[in-house]
Amino acid sequence: MGDFERDTAVEGGDGHYTATLSPDWEIWGPAGGYVLAVALRAAGAHSRFERPANVSCHFLGGARFGPVELAVTTQRGGKRAESVRVEMTQDGRPVCTAMAWFVSAGVDGWEHDWTERPDVPPPLEVPTAFERFAAVGQEPPVTYPFWDNVEYRPLQWMPPEEWERRQVGFPRWHCWLRYQPTPAYDDPVVEAARVALFFDIMGWPALQPAVPAAEFGTWMAPNTDTTVWFHHPVDRSEFLYLDAVTPVAVNGVIGSSGSIWSEDGRLLATGSEHLLHRAVAAPAPGEA
Amino acid sequence: MTVGDLAADTALEALGEGHFRATLSRDWEIWGPNGGYLAAVLLRAVGAHTGLPRPASLQCHYLGVARFEPVDLHVTTVRAGRRAHSVRVAMTQDGDPVCEALAWAVGEPGDIEGFGHDTAHAPDVPRPEDLASFSELAPDDHERFRFWRNFDYRPTAWMSQEEWEAREPGEDAVARGWMRFEPTPVFDDPWVDAGRVAVLLDTFLWPAAVRAYTGMVPFMGPSMDLAVQFHRSATAAEWLLFDACAPVGTDGMIGGMSRVWDGDGRLVGSAVQQMLVRGVPPPHRPPEGEAG
């Protein structure tokens, strides 16, 4: 099992940082959200400000689990905000490029919030995926190491044989998520990265209800880009409610969007993600 | 009365090795050059550089306010695959940064086969022919910024000035309306077409945000960024419906999302955007009379 803060840590300074991608965050290779989180940590280490406003990331090539280098530059620095660019490479090959805005903690302004979290049961009233399998007398399938780091409580679930017979439905995925073994952190950049990671994960599971069962497992859709906008501070909310939809797939380009909410109902971030169809089956756990 | 033409006003001069030059037209002025217009110029540069026919996404940081004068664009390919290119484009003016963007361009639809679905539903609003235009509803406001002369803009709902100043906050922070570009409503070039969508996705978050407040707001919210997903071409759609909402403003930032639909109710583009609040009043009342 990984530890998010440790496994996304960066070392260095003056715009040059290093990190080590941990195999504990494998989904089809290093999970894109994990790579994004490392890039955001590097941007945060470089910026004069500690409050991320947004981050956009292009995923450029698969990486190995091992050391990566991060070059960070300021695109524009003002009194209240700084735009930062990150280039992550491994052995000279591009892994991702990201841009992030950071703002001063002292920025104030008019306030409004008309958002309302969907009316869902509190997390501890929702069974975990393991509990759901156990309830129908089945062992959970072997999955990627990434999911060992997350307590996953799905709000929609059906037993495997029912899933195989399902009709195509609305492409939504919503659930409660909590990191383990450490659910929350003090560093606001780590907290933002903890939230940002899931915007890269959401598109594929949200897509699944719209995929005919016969097509499942014959293709995959790696991410091309993910963007996240941060709203309220995370404030150590251990459980995160993720609500994602993947409403449109046209000519192999698949668009997804979602929101993440705190346990007390505050909108923490919204985000979007693009996936590109590939007509090959996803690698099995450990095969990436 | 002059109006801009998006294709002409985003045209580029190719200077070689990824270097292009454009001249920002004052016809797209709204608090300076409109952010969506800048995004449209960036998209032209991406399209010219990659040669690929299909914009997939754009993520743009707005870094400084430009004058209505020439700008330089430097485009580099970050990664070129068989089916998709990741491209970085920087816009500067006299060496000062204006905006910096990343974009994905992809191949022809036939080059990327894949499973397809569409479960997105356009909002149920009146058709444009059943709505009054902004130029009729608020002729003074329409004339104040040249930007609005580039469109036949038909908001789906409207308040008089008196109703607007007396409104109660509490309704959804939403803005909706139909837009048709003038004098040229549609463009065959997919990158100009994408720019048309980007202009609408960028413009209406502010009109949506001010719905959350009462009276004349004493602050403005310049855009920090814009991130767009392009879902499909809209080259045949003269009228486009925008649907923007800005549900959260907290600690000096306002966030929201926009979508653009064609006249057949198909989702063309989606965007999310963040604005950084400045404690100075906007130059004038924006066309925020939409009641959603």
Side-chain angles (χ1 to χ4, degrees):
Chain A
M1 182 185 299
D3 179 274
F4 183 74
E5 184 171 40
R6 180 196 66 205
D7 295 341
T8 58
V10 298
E11 293 182 351
D14 291 333
H16 298 283
Y17 299 86
T18 58
T20 301
L21 301 183
S22 163
D24 287 326
W25 299 87
E26 177 196 347
I27 296 182
W28 306 352
Y34 169 57
V35 171
L36 166 63
V38 173
L40 185 59
R41 293 287 304 271
H46 177 78
S47 175
R48 291 176 292 122
F49 304 118
E50 65 176 19
R51 183 179 163 211
N54 58 47
V55 60
S56 292
C57 186
H58 275 208
F59 301 102
L60 305 172
R64 288 179 291 101
F65 294 106
V68 292
E69 297 194 342
L70 300 110
V72 189
T73 53
T74 295
Q75 300 187 131
R76 181 185 175 228
K79 279 185 298 181
R80 307 188 305 156
E82 181 176 9
S83 171
V84 173
R85 178 202 298 182
V86 181
E87 312 277 356
M88 181 189 293
T89 57
Q90 188 173 59
D91 301 331
R93 294 193 308 275
V95 176
C96 74
T97 181
M99 296 192 297
W101 272 107
F102 285 77
V103 298
S104 164
V107 173
D108 55 10
W110 286 260
E111 303 267 337
H112 74 273
D113 189 344
W114 297 106
T115 61
E116 190 171 347
R117 193 185 69 202
D119 185 17
V120 295
L124 294 179
E125 292 182 13
V126 178
T128 67
F130 291 119
E131 291 167 343
R132 289 187 185 273
F133 278 107
V136 295
Q138 295 194 15
E139 288 290 319
V142 174
T143 187
Y144 298 93
F146 175 93
W147 292 106
D148 293 338
N149 306 314
V150 179
E151 180 182 325
Y152 167 44
R153 296 175 179 266
L155 281 144
Q156 70 217 81
W157 195 83
M158 57 179 71
E161 61 275 14
E162 196 176 321
W163 175 255
E164 294 297 325
R165 296 194 306 267
R166 77 192 189 282
Q167 299 295 310
V168 167
F170 185 77
R172 180 189 187 195
W173 182 50
H174 65 139
C175 56
W176 286 103
L177 299 156
R178 179 165 66 174
Y179 284 78
Q180 50 190 19
T182 311
Y185 301 93
D186 293 328
D187 184 328
V189 177
V190 179
E191 285 287 86
R194 175 165 75 94
V195 170
L197 174 143
F198 290 114
F199 287 105
D200 184 80
I201 306 299
M202 65 182 181
W204 179 253
L207 171 67
Q208 297 309 307
V211 178
E215 294 193 22
F216 189 74
T218 63
W219 58 283
M220 61 190 295
N223 294 359
T224 55
D225 55 86
T226 297
T227 300
V228 182
W229 291 263
F230 302 102
H231 305 301
H232 289 284
V234 184
D235 282 347
R236 297 188 61 89
S237 174
E238 292 193 3
F239 276 104
L240 304 172
Y241 170 67
L242 169 64
D243 190 7
V245 294
T246 305
V248 186
V250 177
N251 298 127
V253 178
I254 302 163
S256 183
S257 61
S259 53
I260 287 182
W261 308 74
S262 65
E263 285 180 73
D264 60 5
R266 293 172 300 119
L267 181 61
L268 303 179
T270 50
S272 61
E273 176 189 9
H274 247 163
L275 308 96
L276 194 61
H277 176 274
R278 284 189 69 194
V280 295
E287 290 184 352
Chain B
M1 183 175 74
T2 64
V3 294
D5 177 281
L6 190 65
D9 294 342
T10 58
L12 305 173
E13 177 189 2
L15 302 176
E17 298 183 351
H19 184 192
F20 300 88
R21 185 162 292 150
T23 299
L24 300 182
S25 165
R26 190 174 289 279
D27 285 330
W28 300 87
E29 178 185 5
I30 188 163
W31 300 358
N34 170 261
Y37 169 56
L38 296 178
V41 176
L42 296 172
L43 284 163
R44 292 293 298 272
V46 173
H49 181 73
T50 67
L52 291 177
R54 220 174 130 200
S57 68
L58 174 81
Q59 298 83 29
C60 176
H61 277 205
Y62 298 109
L63 303 175
V65 178
R67 300 180 307 280
F68 294 102
E69 293 175 9
V71 291
D72 289 294
L73 297 115
H74 291 275
V75 191
T76 52
T77 299
V78 182
R79 178 179 182 241
R82 190 169 46 87
R83 306 181 306 159
H85 292 184
S86 169
V87 172
R88 178 187 305 286
V89 52
M91 181 189 292
T92 59
Q93 191 170 60
D94 298 334
D96 294 328
V98 176
C99 45
E100 182 93 18
L102 292 166
W104 276 104
V106 297
E108 295 280 4
D111 296 338
I112 308 173
E113 295 179 359
F115 166 79
H117 72 273
D118 190 343
T119 60
H121 298 289
D124 184 16
V125 298
R127 302 288 303 173
E129 54 270 25
D130 298 324
L131 296 166
S133 73
F134 179 49
S135 62
E136 298 164 348
L137 294 164
D140 292 343
D141 285 341
H142 180 262
E143 290 302 308
R144 198 161 292 151
F145 278 132
R146 299 163 71 119
F147 176 81
W148 297 109
R149 301 177 194 170
N150 300 313
F151 314 97
D152 184 351
Y153 166 33
R154 303 193 177 202
T156 59
W158 186 255
M159 291 180 188
S160 68
Q161 183 75 21
E162 296 72 29
E163 290 170 324
W164 175 253
E165 292 181 15
R167 76 191 184 283
E168 292 293 328
E171 299 183 43
D172 289 342
V174 169
R176 292 186 182 126
W178 290 94
M179 301 285 273
R180 183 170 63 184
F181 280 62
E182 294 186 334
T184 310
V186 293
F187 304 93
D188 292 332
D189 184 326
W191 294 93
V192 182
D193 178 57
R196 188 166 67 112
V197 174
V199 168
L200 303 189
L201 289 169
D202 176 83
T203 300
F204 290 94
L205 205 63
W206 171 251
V210 293
R211 292 284 312 157
Y213 302 87
T214 192
M216 304 303 285
V217 293
F219 62 92
M220 58 191 295
S223 300
M224 303 174 75
D225 70 342
L226 175 72
V228 181
Q229 292 181 340
F230 299 103
H231 302 299
R232 52 165 59 89
S233 162
T235 53
E238 291 200 2
W239 286 100
L240 296 173
L241 173 68
F242 68 83
D243 179 15
C245 67
V248 187
T250 183
D251 297 326
M253 291 192 298
I254 298 174
M257 55 287 295
S258 304
R259 291 181 294 180
V260 167
W261 311 79
D262 68 15
D264 295 325
R266 301 183 312 157
L267 186 61
V268 173
S270 308
V272 186
Q273 188 169 52
Q274 197 93 289
M275 299 180 285
L276 188 62
V277 170
R278 290 186 63 197
V280 296
H284 85 118
R285 176 199 183 207
E288 70 273 69
E290 301 89 330

